[in-house]
Amino acid sequence: VSRSGVITLTTDFGAADPYAGMMKGVILSIFPAARIVDLSHEIPAHDPAAAAWVLLDSVPFFPPGTVHLAVVDPGVGSKRRPLALRNGDRFFVGPDNGIFSAFLPADETVELNRPQFFLPKISACFHGRDLFAPVAARLAAGSALADFGSPLADPVRLRLPQPVQEGDTLRGEVIRVDRFGNLITNIPERLLPPSPFAARIGGTDVPGLFPCYAAIPAGTCAALLGSSGRLEIARPQGSAAAALAAAAGATVAILKRI
Amino acid sequence: VSRSGVITLTTDFGAADPYAGMMKGVILSIFPAARIVDLSHEIPAHDPAAAAWVLLDSVPFFPPGTVHLAVVDPGVGSKRRPLALRNGDRFFVGPDNGIFSAFLPADETVELNRPQFFLPKISACFHGRDLFAPVAARLAAGSALADFGSPLADPVRLRLPQPVQEGDTLRGEVIRVDRFGNLITNIPERLLPPSPFAARIGGTDVPGLFPCYAAIPAGTCAALLGSSGRLEIARPQGSAAAALAAAAGATVAILKRI
Amino acid sequence: VSRSGVITLTTDFGAADPYAGMMKGVILSIFPAARIVDLSHEIPAHDPAAAAWVLLDSVPFFPPGTVHLAVVDPGVGSKRRPLALRNGDRFFVGPDNGIFSAFLPADETVELNRPQFFLPKISACFHGRDLFAPVAARLAAGSALADFGSPLADPVRLRLPQPVQEGDTLRGEVIRVDRFGNLITNIPERLLPPSPFAARIGGTDVPGLFPCYAAIPAGTCAALLGSSGRLEIARPQGSAAAALAAAAGATVAILKRI
């Protein structure tokens, strides 16, 4: 599998601290031609599942042969294993805590157990910089995945919440709230009943599907297909999250025939 | 017009969400040599005029042949048109909602109506990723503007607020508050009376012009020429916005002979 | 000294405003092959010492021949001098206000007093864009440091706070709080007594050293060696800063034999 030279970063480090910058310094020291893209450094702290959804939504838009480096890593320095994997023509490097669950089972998975590919000194607090960045840089530069360690048969896999059909009701949940206050759910287009239907969240029934944000009447919430291909609840020029007092984890029930 | 290979991004997507990263993935998939610069992803939500000011202030500092991709797009998915334009040796790609008003009339303007240049699947929520990024990438790689669509004669143009002379008083307004709490106005140097003068904002008269931030006495607000070449009201090591309880839109009246 | 082509940016401009983007436009106009890395744009406003610590911690992870451009510059436009310096194979460009104290004395220091290397028009508010970015770009492209000005013998040097031994007690301080609420101190590993010991902060004694975040019992604060090689106080999956009501500047006393 050839490489694009692109490396994406997904972390919970925040953009204010220099941690992401240090990782970029390490990458450019090893692979000067790397083109590095920040996906997000504002993943909720210590929440690998939130990063898994971001990767699921974002990875398809990157060139084949891209290396996705993701570090949401509360177990850093403990016995949690470091890993790298390949799913089709996409590569992933990070902690073995389920952060890459959306891409499991993988075509190849290795435990990163060859210190000659790490920085000479490994801190117990920052494997993103000392271990994962050097491996991602070498992988993006063309090294074979198998070079970095022994096969790992049982990577940790998180169960990303999936919608459930219960009689006439499809029950999903909000997995992310974006800057606009849009509620992004885990309900894919193929599971939705024919429009019109209602999405019940909290005590409120929200009508759907609307074709786009601008078609929603001002001051009301409505359901539409978001850019992820999943149901989204939005309020034009306002925040659906605030209007519905809803956050990640809130249940969304789809009721047929509004 | 030759191209610099540089693409700037200006959006209201926020830096926490992966939307800007996805756009970069699309760009690098099409034009791997692109050098992408974030101008801001924190434009006030749904406010193309705010983005227009940011572009006005920033574009002159980029190389000729740069493509400026800007997406503040409450009308995404509706009948608002997508466009690309050229003003001199600068290119712009985004929604036809006035976001490029500072660069109108343009030398060439096209409606983006040739889907072969978009992603195969266009969501109704995210033309930044599915439509504008692919066009910007191809434009930055050297395609002719005319390739992307038919000429568009009447792009939407916002009236960016301009200062008005009323007798002895020049009346402008605050167009942006920066991280330091500096109040950036729409009053250009050439309209200012000889110094000293007073800038009245809220009920307060602020003296000007001071030569630089450090020349302003501690704990006081004063007027100086900002880096945009327009009047700015600042408070050294503090926030003029907080001290004067002023925000974007506040009126600033320049009174001759302090 | 050869150059890596990498330029890092460290400022207090914030990521919402377009100021950092403008600097990148200037850099790419002069040196199109520059690879630019943001270290932080969220340095506490007007605090060069905070930037000095960030540079101290980050610079070692960048390739030799990197140019570190840092602008936390309350004295912009006043008589404070602009400078560039070299320490070993690292280059630095910014205001002469102590922001590079961690790298002084330098091997070469010059006052930037040759306007032919600046933008044609210099604002009194934004030397980052008009003066420092053009110099950093030329320096990263290979120009000799001595080209940019006359030797400067007495750059301003801040005394970054150092821990002090007082009898049995080692007294240091918190120099930064990161996104996780970890308290990063100025106490290096080599000054620490053998573990176990207590780190007293506010009225609380915090035990140390723990090997990693995950080893700290839930709901408690503890001391460990941070990624900077200095003592850090953390609370797993929570904020030590909040739990201990501590911020930058708080005293940390290390007491032997817990």
Side-chain angles (χ1 to χ4, degrees), chain A residues 26 90-91 146 161 187-188 219 248:
Chain A
V26 170
R90 316 288 173 168
F91 296 88
I187 305 173

Side-chain angles (χ1 to χ4, degrees), chain A residues 1-7 31 33-35 62-68 84-93 108 134-148, chain B residues 28 32:
Chain A
V1 179
S2 73
R3 308 303 151 79
S4 68
V6 177
I7 297 174
F31 178 36
R35 281 154 301 135
F62 282 83
T66 292
V67 174
H68 300 281
L85 59 90
R86 179 178 66 77
N87 180 312
D89 48 17
R90 316 288 173 168
F91 296 88
F92 301 86
V93 177
E108 289 182 83
V135 168
R138 290 183 167 92
L139 195 53
S143 293
L145 188 67
D147 289 354
F148 294 100
Chain B
L28 292 170

